[in-house]
Amino acid sequence: MRKLVYYVAVTLDGFIAAEDGTFDGFVFEGDHMTGINAEYPDTLPTQFREALGLQDAPNRHFDTVLMGRHTYQVPGGLASPYAHLRQFVVSSTVTGTPADVEVIRSDVAGRVAALKEEDGLDIWLCGGGKLAAALLPQIDALLVKIHPVTFGRGIPLFDGKAGITKFRRTDARLFESGVSFMTFERN
């Protein structure tokens, strides 16, 4: 069975984006970029993969991406940001997506359960915080890039009612850039 993996950048104070949905405060240069991009080329937007010469890099961990509406419609975003993955957007309002982006309008938990039963690589929960809170019972692992910055306010890692859920740390990598990359698996 495939896993649902919440792979996301977060600030020291627990936010995945500023209140307006931007994430300019994150560290985009440094040794963590090389290390993480080499291990997770599948999580780079298609246009960045091409710019970095990784367009032919195989998907190592994920073949499917699941995004909330705000993550999909991030300012300056692309209509098909992860064309190298099977793309799903959870929204009741998004329209006009390209053919390779499927919109899930209802029974999100049921659709995710069905996706987990399919053969293939894991499913990347790309964001956002509300979707992560709603799907917390189905999240099998967290891959968290902790950036050495605070936003003060913004979109929380889990935005909404989420019950206590215990995970165990299975890996930790510290980079000179100040970014920590932590892996947690559900207990």
Side-chain angles (χ1 to χ4, degrees):
M1 181 153 85
R2 304 191 314 162
K3 292 180 182 178
L4 179 63
V5 179
Y6 190 21
Y7 173 91
V8 67
V10 66
T11 63
L12 292 172
D13 52 350
F15 298 108
I16 61 172
E19 288 179 301
D20 64 358
T22 61
F23 39 85
D24 298 340
F26 288 124
V27 180
F28 290 106
E29 295 180 353
D31 59 330
H32 70 284
M33 294 298 290
T34 303
I36 293 171
N37 290 349
E39 180 64 22
Y40 294 94
D42 23 0
T43 63
L44 292 169
T46 302
Q47 78 176 47
F48 293 136
R49 285 170 58 107
E50 293 168 359
L52 294 171
L54 297 171
Q55 67 271 15
D56 295 326
N59 293 335
R60 297 181 60 170
H61 299 278
F62 307 108
D63 62 11
T64 304
V65 61
L66 183 65
M67 302 169 269
R69 179 182 63 84
H70 292 288
T71 300
Y72 176 67
Q73 293 181 325
V74 68
L78 305 170
S80 180
Y82 301 101
H84 56 284
L85 300 173
R86 192 169 161 204
Q87 302 173 91
F88 293 90
V89 176
V90 176
S91 174
S92 60
T93 60
V94 168
T95 60
T97 60
D100 66 340
V101 177
E102 182 179 327
V103 179
I104 301 172
R105 299 193 186 286
S106 62
D107 190 20
V108 178
R111 184 70 167 118
V112 169
L115 287 170
K116 288 174 75 171
E117 291 294 325
E118 295 176 359
D119 290 332
L121 298 175
D122 288 337
I123 303 158
W124 170 28
L125 174 55
C126 180
K130 287 184 175 129
L131 181 58
L135 291 176
L136 182 56
Q138 291 182 280
I139 294 174
D140 301 293
L142 301 168
L143 302 179
V144 184
K145 297 176 285 187
I146 304 168
H147 288 250
V149 64
T150 61
F151 284 179
R153 294 188 310 214
I155 300 169
L157 184 63
F158 293 97
D159 188 4
K161 187 175 181 178
I164 295 173
T165 305
K166 294 190 178 188
F167 290 83
R168 61 183 168 79
R169 184 180 51 96
T170 57
D171 193 26
R173 293 174 63 191
L174 306 176
F175 294 95
E176 291 298 320
S177 64
V179 172
S180 302
F181 187 73
M182 310 295 279
T183 303
F184 298 91
E185 300 279 337
R186 181 180 288 279
N187 274 347

